[in-house]
Amino acid sequence: SGGGGGGGGPSDSAAEQAKQRQAQREAILEQAMTPDALARLRRVKLVKKDRASAVEGMIANMAMQGKLDSKISEGKLIEMLEGIVGAQQKKEGDKGKISIQRKRYNFDSDDDDDDDDLL
């Protein structure tokens, strides 16, 4: 991300730099994560690109700062994703939340049914 003159050169180098940064990030993630965790992150990226990018950034920063004492397992990755989801929900409120409401019918009530009719 640098200011440049006119012509095709600067945009080419910016795209090339972005490609290099992505390759560098991938290499860091491969070193910092177990294969299972990496596979899960790639699956998450297909559906929730923003969440996956946020986790990738966290992991890359932790790795570069030397804060990772061991590889990130799938369980740890899930915890990180849940943390990001929680933070996003606090920020967004109920906007991204899916709530399922089941219809309740009078004849389908479980509280007053003691199964006497089955005996």
Side-chain angles (χ1 to χ4, degrees):
S1 60
S11 64
D12 276 352
S13 66
E16 197 60 41
Q17 284 176 345
K19 205 181 269 189
Q20 283 178 340
R21 277 196 303 272
Q22 185 59 37
Q24 191 177 15
R25 184 181 251 197
E26 281 292 319
I28 290 171
L29 291 174
E30 285 175 18
Q31 290 173 358
M33 300 172 73
T34 64
D36 288 345
L38 199 56
R40 179 176 286 265
L41 183 61
R42 289 188 175 134
R43 287 192 304 269
V44 168
K45 196 173 196 170
L46 294 173
V47 183
K48 298 285 185 185
K49 202 173 188 96
D50 54 334
R51 288 183 190 165
S53 295
V55 170
E56 284 178 359
M58 284 170 55
I59 293 169
N61 288 340
M62 288 165 62
M64 287 189 274
Q65 293 169 4
K67 290 184 178 177
L68 293 177
D69 46 347
S70 62
K71 285 194 169 199
I72 291 178
S73 66
E74 195 172 359
K76 177 68 176 160
L77 175 67
I78 291 170
E79 286 177 27
M80 293 171 83
L81 284 166
E82 287 172 346
I84 286 175
V85 170
Q88 283 180 343
Q89 282 179 345
K90 280 181 189 163
K91 205 168 29 175
E92 297 173 355
D94 285 342
K95 189 174 81 175
K97 187 177 177 188
I98 297 173
S99 62
I100 298 171
Q101 294 180 337
R102 305 227 186 284
K103 289 185 178 176
R104 302 212 56 178
Y105 298 102
N106 282 339
F107 62 83
D108 197 25
S109 176
D110 288 334
D111 5 310
D112 57 11
D113 188 14
D114 52 7
D115 291 334
D116 282 341
D117 53 334
L118 300 177
L119 297 175

